[in-house]
Amino acid sequence: MSEGTHILPLAKPKEGLSKTGTWRVRKPVINHSKCVKCMMCWLYCPESAIDIVDTSEKFVEINYEYCKGCGVCTRVCPVKAISMVPEG
Amino acid sequence: MHVVIKPLTGNYAVAWAVKLARVRVVSAYPITPQTTIVEKISEFVEKGEMDAKMIRVESEHSALAAVYGAASGGVRAFTATSSHGLMYMSEMLWWVAGARVPLVMAIVTRTMGPPWNIWTDHSDFLSQRDTGWLMMFAEHNQEVLDSIIQLFRITEDPRVFLPGMVALDAFILSHTTEPVNIPDQSLVDSFLPERRQPYVFRAGEPITMGNIPSNLEEQMRMRWDIHESLEAAKKVIAEVDQEWSKLTGRSYGGLIDCYKCSDAKYFIVGAGAWVGDMREATDLLRSEGYKVGLVKIRYVRPFPSEELASVLKNAKGVIVFDRAVSPGSAGPMYLDVATHLAAQSVRVPIKNVLAGLAGVDVTYEDIAGIVKSFVNELESKGTISKYIEWYFG
């Protein structure tokens, strides 16, 4: 073995292999006109599936490929801008 | 060279070595007979003599997790424990070795309960031999201090990059005062380079350690890599011993140390503080005409396979003393010695003596008597009636 080269249990973060969005039975939908940009949904999302995009149309965006539909964002939103809608 | 000799217990020798190695983070949970190690370190820190952070935790599992985190972040780190504390820590031992993060731990060897017992045997330490750590036994307090400093250098060598443990026997070393030569800070600084490690966790450079592997063979290769690195450590241990000897005049022989081996026909094999008694037993047996030599095993991981074989290849008999047992099999040291001598094609009768467990006192006269019966039986009958034997005194 050459000096200092080892097989290490390391990985760089990347998008997960399994799309956990398929687990969802209800989907959170944001009413962007109500959003006060407090970032509580971004902070509390257990899957880190909410991104800050800060465009003229919307401040936050939900990544539905990974959102499991747990509904935590609807509970923490102080202005009730997020509602759960049954999956079609 | 300015020489400072202080009367130190084994535990204080550990604390001095940790201070001299410029360790930056220490965490531990108190347990007899380890506690005075971290008490002394805490005193150094509070007096401003050591620039380190002491982290108080609620358990040994957290103690090793805390120093592992610190070491992953790029600093030299240390912890110490004993007996039941080591068992509680055990899961984290696998994580630290698997993560390839160098750090050093002192184990004050103590009997496992039940029943509760604070005296020395080697059951706690040797039960952790499959984790992937470097593991070594010290015989006396000077060797404790020197070995801790050396182990920082060995574990941080890029050929190794694994954690390491030093074992010192409860009370016989930990609480017994001996004169110890304390090297200059400048000497230790010249001996220990800046900390090296395979990777460092830094803010802004996200990496994850230990995620579920997508390729199982890759994980098997990680385990193989740990094994290969321990094999590579044999050379590093020998180099470090020689360099330390040049700087301080003290050499311990690297992986093993031989006493009166050159013309010996029968060999005692042991590890830990009672090797001192085995030296006296060897002298006593020699004075009575027995051609006995002593092999002290310093490193149990990596195990000194080739080194033992080269000393024991022409032996007429070998007697291995174990202060621990794997119930239903034999003493852990015996299992290793027998396996590796067989693997090196050395064919010699090897006897196992299980003694001193639970802190039962074993004197040099006891050891000499056991060896004498072994030699007499082999010489008169040409064989041994019992290969694995318990000695209760």
Side-chain angles (χ1 to χ4, degrees):
Chain A
M1 190 190 307
S2 63
E3 179 173 312
T5 56
H6 298 285
I7 304 170
L8 301 171
L10 296 180
K12 290 200 169 162
K14 58 179 183 184
E15 284 200 2
L17 290 173
S18 60
K19 307 281 187 194
T20 48
T22 58
W23 301 5
R24 199 172 54 235
V25 290
R26 292 191 306 154
K27 143 186 205 179
V29 175
I30 302 173
N31 180 346
H32 293 287
S33 64
K34 280 186 167 180
C35 174
V36 292
K37 305 184 181 180
C38 69
M39 296 166 69
M40 289 292 273
C41 57
W42 169 82
L43 182 65
Y44 275 87
C45 175
E47 280 301 307
S48 297
I50 299 180
D51 298 318
I52 308 295
V53 290
D54 200 11
T55 63
S56 52
E57 298 93 54
K58 53 190 169 185
F59 182 67
V60 290
E61 185 176 77
I62 295 170
N63 183 339
Y64 290 111
E65 286 198 320
Y66 294 99
C67 167
K68 291 174 180 169
C70 70
V72 166
C73 54
T74 66
R75 295 295 186 95
V76 298
C77 179
V79 294
K80 305 212 180 308
I82 312 175
S83 47
M84 297 301 282
V85 178
E87 282 289 340
Chain B
M1 190 173 65
H2 183 55
V3 176
V4 178
I5 295 177
K6 273 182 186 286
L8 293 182
T9 62
N11 280 358
Y12 283 6
V14 172
W16 270 93
V18 168
K19 176 177 179 283
L20 286 164
R22 296 192 187 276
V23 166
R24 299 295 308 281
V25 175
V26 178
S27 181
Y29 189 82
I31 184 167
T32 302
Q34 172 283 123
T35 307
T36 57
I37 295 176
V38 282
E39 274 179 5
K40 191 70 187 171
I41 293 173
S42 180
E43 191 184 313
F44 285 143
V45 173
E46 288 304 313
K47 282 184 176 168
E49 294 169 12
M50 187 175 161
D51 179 20
K53 173 93 180 160
M54 284 285 303
I55 303 174
R56 287 188 295 169
V57 284
E58 84 298 348
S59 75
E60 285 85 359
H61 190 279
S62 297
L64 185 54
V67 291
Y68 161 49
S72 299
V75 297
R76 208 163 269 161
F78 172 84
T79 187
T81 191
S82 207
S83 188
H84 292 261
L86 180 60
M87 298 306 119
Y88 197 11
M89 213 181 239
S90 185
E91 186 204 0
M92 286 311 301
L93 266 75
W94 290 80
W95 279 97
V96 179
R100 310 301 301 261
V101 172
L103 61 83
V104 173
M105 170 155 72
I107 302 298
V108 184
T109 61
R110 173 187 142 180
T111 301
M112 286 300 302
W116 290 116
N117 182 329
I118 58 171
W119 307 109
T120 190
D121 78 19
H122 300 154
S123 314
D124 53 353
F125 186 67
L126 291 173
S127 77
Q128 299 302 303
R129 67 193 187 277
D130 299 340
T131 54
W133 286 54
L134 285 102
M135 299 174 71
M136 68 88 55
F137 275 102
E139 181 190 344
H140 48 74
N141 295 351
Q142 183 71 61
E143 191 178 7
V144 168
L145 181 137
D146 292 342
S147 301
I148 295 259
I149 295 169
Q150 289 176 7
L151 206 50
F152 277 107
R153 166 84 176 260
I154 296 161
T155 55
E156 293 172 12
D157 188 295
R159 290 167 287 181
V160 182
F161 280 158
L162 282 168
M165 299 183 235
V166 172
L168 57 151
D169 284 76
F171 300 104
I172 297 171
L173 298 189
S174 72
H175 288 63
T176 303
T177 301
E178 289 181 332
V180 175
N181 184 327
I182 299 178
D184 276 343
Q185 184 65 61
S186 60
L187 183 151
V188 178
D189 288 345
S190 72
F191 173 76
L192 280 181
E194 285 287 297
R195 180 174 168 83
R196 293 175 292 180
Q197 60 191 92
Y199 57 92
V200 174
F201 285 144
R202 288 190 182 89
E205 291 172 35
I207 44 172
T208 62
M209 197 297 295
N211 245 340
I212 295 170
S214 55
N215 177 346
L216 299 182
E217 187 190 319
E218 216 31 29
Q219 184 165 8
M220 182 170 165
R221 287 192 184 280
M222 287 172 200
R223 202 69 179 139
W224 166 84
D225 193 312
I226 290 173
H227 180 74
E228 289 293 305
S229 303
L230 279 164
E231 287 293 324
K234 290 177 177 176
K235 189 161 174 266
V236 180
I237 291 161
E239 286 170 13
V240 164
D241 184 70
Q242 280 165 23
E243 195 180 325
W244 189 253
S245 167
K246 271 183 213 152
L247 290 170
T248 65
R250 295 189 293 275
S251 166
Y252 300 102
L255 293 154
I256 61 170
D257 183 29
C258 288
Y259 183 64
K260 303 198 172 172
C261 285
S262 57
D263 65 338
K265 290 180 179 166
Y266 298 94
F267 290 84
I268 304 169
V269 176
W274 65 350
V275 169
D277 304 295
M278 290 170 190
R279 287 182 197 276
E280 298 210 29
T282 305
D283 290 344
L284 180 64
L285 289 161
R286 283 272 174 174
S287 74
E288 295 176 15
Y290 288 88
K291 291 254 178 182
V292 173
L294 166 65
V295 182
K296 158 179 155 183
I297 295 187
R298 291 189 73 232
Y299 274 81
V300 282
R301 291 291 178 275
F303 193 79
S305 188
E306 300 83 358
E307 292 75 8
L308 267 185
S310 77
V311 176
L312 301 177
K313 62 176 184 285
N314 297 318
K316 284 188 157 182
V318 176
I319 183 163
V320 181
F321 283 81
D322 261 292
R323 207 159 192 159
V325 65
S326 181
S329 181
M333 201 71 79
Y334 177 72
L335 295 173
D336 271 330
V337 172
T339 302
H340 285 276
L341 288 186
Q344 301 284 338
S345 302
V346 175
R347 299 282 177 259
V348 55
I350 315 171
K351 186 184 174 84
N352 191 197
V353 175
L354 300 160
L357 279 83
V360 168
D361 202 21
V362 183
T363 66
Y364 76 95
E365 287 106 332
D366 289 329
I367 295 165
I370 295 165
V371 175
K372 217 185 282 183
S373 316
F374 167 67
V375 174
N376 290 345
E377 190 184 7
L378 256 183
E379 296 216 327
S380 61
K381 294 183 193 158
T383 184
I384 319 166
S385 53
K386 219 170 177 189
Y387 278 87
I388 298 163
E389 193 161 25
W390 287 79
Y391 179 81
F392 293 96

